[in-house]
Structures are given as structure tokens and as C-alpha cells.
Amino acid sequence: LVYFFCCASFMTITVIALDRLLILQLHLRYHSVVTTIRVTLVVFFIWILSAVNTFLLMTSSRFRLVFLVTIISLLAGNLVVYFKIYAIARRHQRQIQQQQQPASNENIFRVTRYTKTAFNSFLVYIVLLCCYMPYSFVSLYGRVFGVIVYWTYVTVTLVFINSSLNPLLYCWRDREIRTAMKRLFCR
């Protein structure tokens, strides 16, 4: 289950990053391209692919390297996508500032909101990276450096802690979520 959920988590983070990029690139066409049916299919594909990866990993030890390469590729892909998001958001802000028209207030608000959500997603990615990289290092190089089994358990625990940190991060960064949590728990 650990491999299944970790793979699903990485793929979901990647798809969220791609979604943020599509919002900035497609503008008004976004809702016609990213439909509910397509999103459902992508989520279904993520779970199926995670199951296949986990099955292959459990049936043969040589797929362990393929699994780790997949995870590292997803991490690198996320980094590239977030740099593109940052570049597009900066370009849009410069264009809006140059125009300085009264109608651009709505555009400024929209670009600011999307930039903020992209930044929040990037923070989730950074936390994920910090939680998973020690495990990846121990998995890849633990035998070479003679790392004790204890460190494997510590890094796996850090991977599991990531799932607890994400809701806290979203609560800290998103006013709407924070307000909803206050209403839910502070009645």
C-alpha cells in the first residue's frame, strides 16, 4: 500500500501542477479543455497506473529501480512545470502593469489569485520533496554507504508525515480553508 499511495500522491501532485499551468496558458479556453469527464479519466488513470506500478514492483525486485526513476522523473517534471508557471505569471503581471487600464483590475486579481494558488501548490511540492528525498537517498544508496535499517524506518516515517503536513500547509496558506476550519472546530 505504501508504494501504491506514494505513486498516486506523486502523480496527483504532477497533475495539479499541470492544471495550474493550463490555467495560465489557456485562459478562457481552460473550461472547454479541462472538463469534468477528462479530470475523472485522469484521476482514474492515476489510480490504475499506481496499481500497475505497485504490482510490478511487488512481483519483481528489478522494477524497484524503474519505480524510483519514475518518482525522480515526476519530481523533475514538477520542477520544470513550476518554473514555467512562475515565468508565465511574471510575464502576465508585467503586461498588466504596462497596460494600466481600469478594466485590468479584474485581470490583476485573476493573475494574482492563480499565482497564489500555483505558489501554494509549489510549497506542497517542496514539502513533498523534503519528505521523500531522504527515503529515496536511503533506498538508492543505503547499501552502498551501509546505512542502518533504523534510518530506513526514520525516512519511511517522514514519508508518512507528509500526508499530515499537506492539510496544515493548505490551512496556513489559504484563507478560505482557514475560515472553514475555524467555523467547523470553533463553534
Side-chain angles (χ1 to χ4, degrees):
L1 286 176
V2 170
Y3 292 113
F4 175 75
F5 286 118
C6 288
C7 189
S9 177
F10 273 111
M11 287 188 208
T12 302
I13 295 255
T14 302
V15 169
I16 289 170
L18 289 171
D19 180 62
R20 302 294 184 231
L21 181 63
L22 288 175
I23 287 172
L24 290 174
Q25 285 184 333
L26 298 177
H27 304 290
L28 298 175
R29 294 181 326 163
Y30 173 79
H31 292 294
S32 63
V33 173
V34 180
T35 62
T36 305
I37 293 170
R38 288 182 179 158
V39 170
T40 304
L41 288 173
V42 167
V43 170
F44 184 71
F45 177 75
I46 286 171
W47 288 98
I48 295 296
L49 192 59
S50 296
V52 168
N53 279 341
T54 303
F55 177 75
L56 292 174
L57 188 63
M58 293 302 168
T59 57
S60 176
S61 62
R62 65 178 175 218
F63 284 105
R64 184 178 183 94
L65 182 62
V66 172
F67 185 78
L68 288 173
V69 168
T70 301
I71 297 298
I72 291 170
S73 299
L74 288 171
L75 288 171
N78 274 324
L79 194 59
V80 169
V81 168
Y82 281 116
F83 277 125
K84 282 187 94 169
I85 288 171
Y86 177 75
I88 291 170
R90 293 275 299 179
R91 189 182 75 227
H92 285 176
Q93 284 178 340
R94 274 191 238 116
Q95 288 173 345
I96 290 169
Q97 286 174 353
Q98 288 173 355
Q99 292 175 357
Q100 288 298 320
Q101 296 173 355
S104 69
N105 286 338
E106 181 181 326
N107 289 336
I108 291 172
F109 175 73
R110 190 179 74 227
V111 169
T112 303
R113 189 180 78 212
Y114 290 144
T115 304
K116 184 178 177 184
T117 60
F119 182 73
N120 291 343
S121 299
F122 181 69
L123 286 178
V124 169
Y125 165 73
I126 293 297
V127 169
L128 180 122
L129 190 65
C130 292
C131 290
Y132 277 85
M133 287 313 285
Y135 174 74
S136 299
F137 181 80
V138 168
S139 294
L140 286 173
Y141 302 112
R143 292 183 184 160
V144 174
F145 294 116
V147 173
I148 307 169
V149 174
Y150 169 78
W151 287 109
T152 302
Y153 290 125
V154 168
T155 57
V156 167
T157 302
L158 191 58
V159 166
F160 291 143
I161 287 174
N162 179 294
S163 297
S164 300
L165 294 176
N166 287 342
L168 295 174
L169 187 61
Y170 277 115
C171 207
W172 169 55
R173 294 289 303 167
D174 193 318
R175 181 181 297 133
E176 289 178 26
I177 294 175
R178 200 169 43 244
T179 304
M181 294 299 286
K182 285 179 185 176
R183 269 192 247 134
L184 181 67
F185 293 114
C186 299
R187 289 184 178 199

